[in-house]
Amino acid sequence: MKIAVISDIHANIYALINILENIDDEKVDTIICLGDLVGYGPHPNEVISMIRRRHILCIKGNYDSSVVDNKYSYIRETPINAFSLPWTVNELREENRIFLENSPLKLTLNIEGKNILFVHGSPNAINEYLLEDGDNTNEIMNTITEDVLVCAHTHIPGIKEFGDKLYVNCGSIGKPKIGRPNSTYCILDITKESGIKAQIKEVPYAYKRTVKDVTMLNFPNELIHSFETGVE
């Protein structure tokens, strides 16, 4: 079975459209989204509508949760979020807020005898950063019962083996932090014969269209710059 894992779209419709076209070329069996559909970007309703229209299985991200709560529940209280949170709350249609509210926090699948846990941040917290070489990542990978942990939230993709367990971070579609304005996502190829193979894909998109939209909407310069550079 071939699964595309996407996350952290952050209301960037141009990046999402581009990635879905790329995924269609890969002829995957299904797509799973690890959340953070909204926040930072200018197209929250368009992004959620596309995810719903494509019937993409989706869990909840920390920014999604904070937008539902309309407070800094799971995001930092920064100048950028002081702009982005209320802007997104005011922009979001009620039907899309309800979709975010009712999305699950995690997902576990058994595929070809392998148990795979999908989370946004970590199994412990929706807003915990699991970096590839973090001490907390090592601790979690040594304690989970599943064979594979697939996460996001950091916006930094990575694949690493921890003994007989596999850590995968799919990165970010709409607001990368890799030093380049490119989307990243992951393809999991799972067979009985070969087990699980994970691949990170990095794909350029027309980021200048996003920059144009956020500029016209008078988004903060620091936020605009992050879309241009792939640096937070």
Side-chain angles (χ1 to χ4, degrees):
M1 188 173 188
K2 199 173 182 183
I3 302 172
V5 185
I6 64 175
S7 190
D8 295 273
I9 303 162
H10 284 296
N12 188 337
I13 191 65
Y14 306 125
L16 178 59
I17 290 170
N18 186 62
I19 281 297
L20 291 177
E21 290 175 352
N22 188 275
I23 288 172
D24 288 342
D25 291 340
E26 293 286 339
K27 295 180 170 54
V28 302
D29 295 295
T30 193
I31 304 171
I32 295 174
C33 178
L34 303 187
D36 271 8
L37 306 185
V38 301
Y40 302 127
H43 313 113
N45 291 304
E46 293 86 346
V47 163
I48 296 174
S49 294
M50 178 160 289
I51 292 291
R52 295 174 66 188
R53 189 162 59 249
R54 290 284 299 253
H55 303 290
I56 293 172
L57 189 57
C58 188
I59 64 175
K60 190 185 301 182
N62 65 301
Y63 218 115
D64 302 331
S65 298
S66 292
V67 166
V68 168
D69 294 344
N70 192 16
K71 58 185 179 182
Y72 297 99
S73 310
Y74 303 99
I75 61 174
R76 294 169 292 170
E77 193 167 348
T78 65
I80 283 180
N81 285 333
F83 169 85
S84 180
L85 178 61
W87 188 92
T88 304
V89 168
N90 290 332
E91 186 76 9
L92 198 63
R93 292 197 293 267
E94 179 63 11
E95 65 185 41
N96 290 330
R97 190 197 67 80
I98 292 171
F99 174 81
L100 294 180
E101 184 176 28
N102 289 293
S103 297
L105 290 173
K106 60 180 66 174
L107 172 70
T108 304
L109 298 178
N110 184 287
I111 301 172
E112 301 291 2
K114 297 291 185 180
N115 288 315
I116 308 171
L117 175 60
F118 298 88
V119 298
H120 180 73
S122 84
N124 299 333
I126 196 171
N127 59 348
E128 181 178 6
Y129 289 92
L130 292 186
L131 295 167
E132 193 172 295
D133 296 319
D135 290 339
N136 62 328
T137 305
N138 184 65
E139 181 180 343
I140 284 172
M141 293 304 298
N142 286 326
T143 56
I144 61 170
T145 58
E146 292 82 7
D147 301 295
V148 185
L149 176 66
V150 188
C151 62
H153 183 50
T154 66
H155 297 206
I156 300 172
I159 300 169
K160 186 176 180 179
E161 292 181 353
F162 290 79
D164 61 350
K165 299 181 187 297
L166 183 65
Y167 157 95
V168 178
N169 190 311
C170 64
S172 171
I173 298 297
K175 196 174 181 294
K177 297 180 184 176
I178 56 174
R180 299 175 296 280
N182 298 336
S183 302
T184 62
Y185 74 99
C186 177
I187 291 182
L188 300 176
D189 200 348
I190 310 161
T191 64
K192 282 186 177 178
E193 297 75 23
S194 303
I196 298 179
K197 295 180 180 177
Q199 176 191 10
I200 300 296
K201 296 205 67 180
E202 180 178 333
V203 184
Y205 77 99
Y207 70 91
K208 291 183 179 178
R209 296 183 68 185
T210 302
V211 169
K212 180 180 178 181
D213 285 1
V214 292
T215 301
M216 289 176 61
L217 290 166
N218 294 315
F219 277 35
N221 288 332
E222 186 179 352
L223 186 52
I224 296 170
H225 184 69
S226 71
F227 285 110
E228 291 176 314
T229 62
V231 176
E232 188 176 27

